[in-house]
Each structure stands twice: as structure tokens, then as C-alpha cells.
Amino acid sequence: MTVATSDAVDYGAFLRHQLATQPHNVMSHVLGNEKIWVKRAGTPHSMGRYHAMGVLAWLLRLPVLRPVPNPGGPVAISTEVRRLHDLAARGIRVPQVLAVQPDGFAMRHLGRVGVETHSLGDEIDHAVQAGDRSAALALWQQGLDALAQVHRQGTCLSQAFARNLVRCPDGEVACIDFEDDPAAVLPLAVCHVRDALCYAHSTALYLHTSGTLDEGRARWAAWVAQGSAEMREVLAASVGRMGWMRHLPPNRKLGRDLQRVRAAYELLGR
């Protein structure tokens, strides 16, 4: 992280300087009394893995697994800037874009200078580790509420994992990481289910560990009931084709990733 001072902030000039000099593609900087993130275009990504994922989605008859390409490079920068502007215009809390170039952009930090800002996933984990069941469940509900707000505005997130939801200093949830645009390649109902499954996969294990899974199921059912008929239909079909997950061992015998999958199915599939 670099520190600079300025009375009259020229974000464009600051961005140009950092893109030319910063050693990493994503870095934070303190400019005056604010913290700014500068994101530089990386190397374009290979599309081979997306083709493989597409075949898998077709074989499993799971549209929610259809890949959403992220080409990387300047295209990813353009996509993220466009999506940040669009989400902000819809009233969804995201980082504010301050300056843009074809090879990178600057955005304002969601927290305060000198104060660590945690992801929602970290916040839930801390509550679970502290044995605070009610706090863990309330934080988990905040994530569901944030997804509901996004969906009510007729859009979706990119990868709705709890690590991409940030708890701001005022306690509200903001969304980050928009290098791809699912709605550009998938029906909106599928995008909403994709958001739901990402969130369930990244948080259900916390409910299992804290002993709040039963309450979580009730809240999940209430959240699903608020969705569109198309979303509920896609979700039901997707969960129905995931029945094999119930046979996964509930312990860490096959690794934590599969343990998360099993916990997610317990949240969704009963």
C-alpha cells in the first residue's frame, strides 16, 4: 500500500501514475484521507476451461453450471467498470468508481483508512468461532437480504460467495468483484439461482457448525418464496439433480470443499 497526499484530488492522474508504477495488478493506496484501490488489467485468460465446464453442465443437465466467460485483460476491466456503474445506479452498494482507463481503474475503498474491513464470510466465521449463534444467523440473513435486493432490482451478482460481500463500517453489506456478467449469457432466472447456490455453498457449513441449520432452512425457504416463479422452478430442478450430494460424508474425510457441498445440499435439499 502506498501513501500520497493531495489537496485537490486528480484521480485520473493518480490512476495513470499507479498503473505505470505499481508492482501488482491490484493494490490499495492512501490518497489524502481516503483509501483507493487501483486495479490493472492482467493477462487475458484461456477459454479452454470454459468449454470443459460447458460440456459438464450439458451432461449434468444443470444450466446453472454453464460457464460465464471472463476473458481477463482490458475486457474484464471494461466489464467490471460497467457493472459497478449499473449496480450503483440501481441503488446497490458497490465501490465507487473514481477514474477509468482501458487498462485499469480506480475505486474508493468501502471502509475507513486504518480500519480493517471484513468480508461477510469472515464476519460469520468470527461469530461461529466465538460461539455466538444468534450473531452468525443474523449475519447470514444479511447476505440473503442483500441478494434479495439485487434480484428485486432486476440484476444479479457475478460470484455471490460470502467472500465477495463486504460488511461496511455502518454494518450494511456491499458487493464486489464483477469481472464477468452472467446476465449477458444466461437467463436472469438462472443467474438468480446461480447467486443463490454460490451463497449457499459458501455459508451453509457455518450454519452446520453453529447448530443453526434448521433455522437456516426455514429462512432459506422464506427467501426462496419471495423469488420469481421462474427462479423457483430453476432452483427446484437444479437441487433435484444434485441428489447425489446427500451421499457425501459429512466429515472432512474428502476435504473441506466437499464438506461445503454436503452442507449446502443439507440446506437446500430437505
Side-chain angles (χ1 to χ4, degrees), residues 198-265:
C198 285
Y199 188 68
H201 175 266
S202 63
T203 60
L205 190 56
Y206 296 131
L207 300 180
H208 184 278
T209 303
S210 62
T212 58
L213 188 60
D214 286 341
E215 176 64 20
R217 286 195 196 100
R219 296 188 180 204
W220 181 268
W223 181 83
V224 171
Q226 298 174 17
S228 68
E230 294 83 1
M231 179 269 205
R232 296 196 302 271
E233 182 179 349
V234 173
L235 180 61
S238 299
V239 173
R241 291 173 186 139
M242 295 175 182
W244 57 270
M245 293 179 181
R246 70 167 64 92
H247 302 296
L248 293 171
N251 52 40
R252 296 189 64 171
K253 183 177 180 180
L254 297 181
R256 192 167 180 82
D257 284 341
L258 286 181
Q259 192 180 17
R260 289 192 184 97
V261 170
R262 168 62 187 262
Y265 184 77

Side-chain angles (χ1 to χ4, degrees), residues 2 5 15 37 61 80 95 101 113 122 134 155-156 188 202 251:
T2 62
T5 59
L15 174 63
W37 289 91
R61 294 183 299 145
E80 184 155 16
Q101 288 189 190
V113 175
D122 286 342
S134 61
T155 188
C156 62
L188 189 58
S202 63
N251 52 40

Side-chain angles (χ1 to χ4, degrees), residues 100-121:
V100 181
Q101 288 189 190
D103 59 340
F105 71 101
M107 57 186 166
R108 181 168 283 124
H109 182 58
L110 288 164
R112 301 190 182 101
V113 175
V115 179
E116 189 173 0
T117 302
H118 297 283
S119 72
L120 183 65

Side-chain angles (χ1 to χ4, degrees), residues 2-78:
T2 62
V3 178
T5 59
S6 176
D7 294 327
V9 179
D10 185 340
Y11 295 114
F14 183 75
L15 174 63
R16 288 191 295 273
H17 174 74
Q18 297 303 334
L19 288 176
T21 60
Q22 70 179 34
H24 305 292
N25 286 338
V26 182
M27 288 189 66
S28 65
H29 310 274
V30 174
L31 180 62
N33 61 354
E34 63 182 340
K35 184 175 180 179
I36 296 171
W37 289 91
V38 172
K39 194 166 188 176
R40 183 174 59 205
T43 304
H45 300 160
S46 167
M47 295 292 105
R49 63 189 178 112
Y50 295 110
H51 296 310
M53 290 173 61
V55 171
L56 179 62
W58 179 77
L59 289 173
L60 295 177
R61 294 183 299 145
L62 283 170
V64 294
L65 294 183
R66 279 182 55 195
V68 176
N70 171 8
V75 175
I77 294 294
S78 175

